[in-house]
């Protein structure tokens, strides 16, 4: 059982690096269309061009795979 846990942790670290890469990426603003949307805090996204702020995920700023990674990280923190 402990060996399985170690393996699970390695998978989590792979997912975590993917999440960090996602955080650095810019996204297209649904309002002005410019690639100026960046994550400004945990679940808040802001467009640096028009100043619009969004909650993460509300405008497809988080991909389905990104949501899975976030959920897995949440489980990891509970341990
Ligand atoms: Zn904008």
């Amino acid at each position: 059982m402990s060996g399985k846990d170690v393996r699970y942790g390695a998978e989590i670290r792979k997912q975590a690096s993917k999440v960090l890469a996602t955080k650095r990426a810019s996204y297209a603003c649904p309002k002005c269309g410019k690639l100026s949307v960046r994550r400004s805090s945990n679940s808040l996204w802001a467009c640096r061009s028009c100043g619009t702020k969004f909650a993460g995920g509300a405008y497809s700023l988080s991909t389905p795979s990104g949501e899975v990674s976030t959920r897995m990280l949440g489980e990891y923190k509970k341990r």
Side-chain angles (χ1 to χ4, degrees):
M1 184 176 165
S2 61
K4 197 178 176 185
D5 282 347
V6 169
R7 209 173 142 190
Y8 184 65
E11 288 301 311
I12 289 291
R13 275 194 287 278
K14 276 191 205 167
Q15 292 287 343
S17 62
K18 271 191 189 175
V19 170
L20 287 175
T22 303
K23 277 185 182 176
R24 288 195 200 108
S26 295
Y27 292 84
C29 174
K31 193 172 182 182
C32 69
K34 292 182 181 176
L35 280 172
S36 302
V37 177
R38 290 212 172 160
R39 184 177 281 229
S40 68
S41 70
N42 197 25
S43 61
L44 191 70
W45 299 74
C47 174
R48 296 186 176 211
S49 182
C50 69
T52 307
K53 290 181 180 177
F54 317 90
Y59 292 84
S60 68
L61 288 172
S62 64
T63 62
S65 62
E67 284 175 359
V68 169
S69 298
T70 303
R71 195 151 54 236
M72 288 179 74
L73 285 173
E75 288 173 11
Y76 183 58
K77 280 178 187 170
K78 280 181 201 164
R79 290 172 177 234

